[in-house]
Amino acid sequence: MFFIRSSKKRRELPDRELISRYRISGDTGFVGELFERYAHLIYGVCKKYLKEEEEARDACMELFEYLVKELVKYEVQNFKGWLARATSNFCLMRIRKKRSMEVKEEGFKNTEAQDVELGDVMHLQSESEVRELEIQRLEAAILKLKAEQKTCVELFFLEGKSYQEVAEHTGFTYKQVKSYIQNGKRNLKVALSAHK
């Protein structure tokens, strides 16, 4: 969809092997193969969040550069799950940035128009504003978790690792990981419901 066809050899490699070879060699062709393999998923998520076709296509192209940087930082076990979350987060950051620019432009216009009353500026929040606020609350709530819960929750939900993979990564037992994730989820739920 987006890239020149890769070699047959690369197409036959599993996701984890492509990631491993990319991390060792720095050859972005391996990321290109992954990107091509999941282009339909990436585009679908971008279209869902960004709505407009042209903006979704632009985001897909930017996402390739984002993946090139991010795959070096993280040990990704379940690439498809990680990619879906990374794409969602990428789109939400894009929405947040766009909204921030709109707010700045709106603020500039309002500064010029001295006759605008504060009550006239208030308006209902758009879907993207609500989503942005929820993300900010979630990020703040995650930061307030105990260190063990925060680590396990981030690895499990944001990086898509299984309980066993989180245990191997952190050195906690399987039982501890399960407990930290469950307690972390409960604490997040309590923290987020307090904001409603």
Side-chain angles (χ1 to χ4, degrees), residues 40-54:
H40 63 285
L41 169 73
I42 294 167
Y43 179 74
V45 173
C46 288
K47 185 80 164 56
K48 175 186 168 191
Y49 281 96
L50 304 173
K51 310 296 184 211
E52 294 180 22
E53 237 176 88
E54 191 65 34

Side-chain angles (χ1 to χ4, degrees), residues 8 33-34 36 47 52 66 74 79 85 92 95 98 100 108 117 120 122 124-125 135 142-143 147 154 174 187 191 194:
K8 184 179 180 192
E33 173 58 37
L34 285 165
E36 183 69 27
K47 185 80 164 56
E52 294 180 22
Y66 175 79
Y74 299 106
F79 180 73
R85 280 187 293 282
L92 290 170
I95 290 168
K98 184 178 177 184
S100 175
F108 180 73
E117 304 253 346
D120 295 334
M122 299 302 286
L124 294 174
Q125 291 180 323
I135 290 170
I142 288 173
L143 289 174
E154 286 177 340
Y174 183 90
N187 291 338

Side-chain angles (χ1 to χ4, degrees), residues 81-144:
W82 179 86
L83 179 62
R85 280 187 293 282
T87 304
S88 295
N89 290 340
F90 181 83
C91 289
L92 290 170
M93 287 188 311
R94 192 178 171 107
I95 290 168
R96 186 182 300 167
K97 188 176 178 182
K98 184 178 177 184
R99 182 63 193 140
S100 175
M101 293 295 287
E102 288 170 359
V103 167
K104 285 178 185 172
E105 286 175 15
E106 187 67 29
F108 180 73
K109 288 175 188 173
N110 287 341
T111 303
E112 286 182 334
Q114 297 295 323
D115 60 343
V116 177
E117 304 253 346
L118 181 60
D120 295 334
V121 177
M122 299 302 286
H123 61 282
L124 294 174
Q125 291 180 323
S126 70
E127 186 179 327
S128 63
E129 288 174 306
V130 171
R131 196 177 301 129
E132 181 183 340
L133 188 58
E134 288 172 352
I135 290 170
Q136 289 172 353
R137 287 179 181 159
L138 179 60
E139 288 169 348
I142 288 173
L143 289 174
K144 291 179 184 175

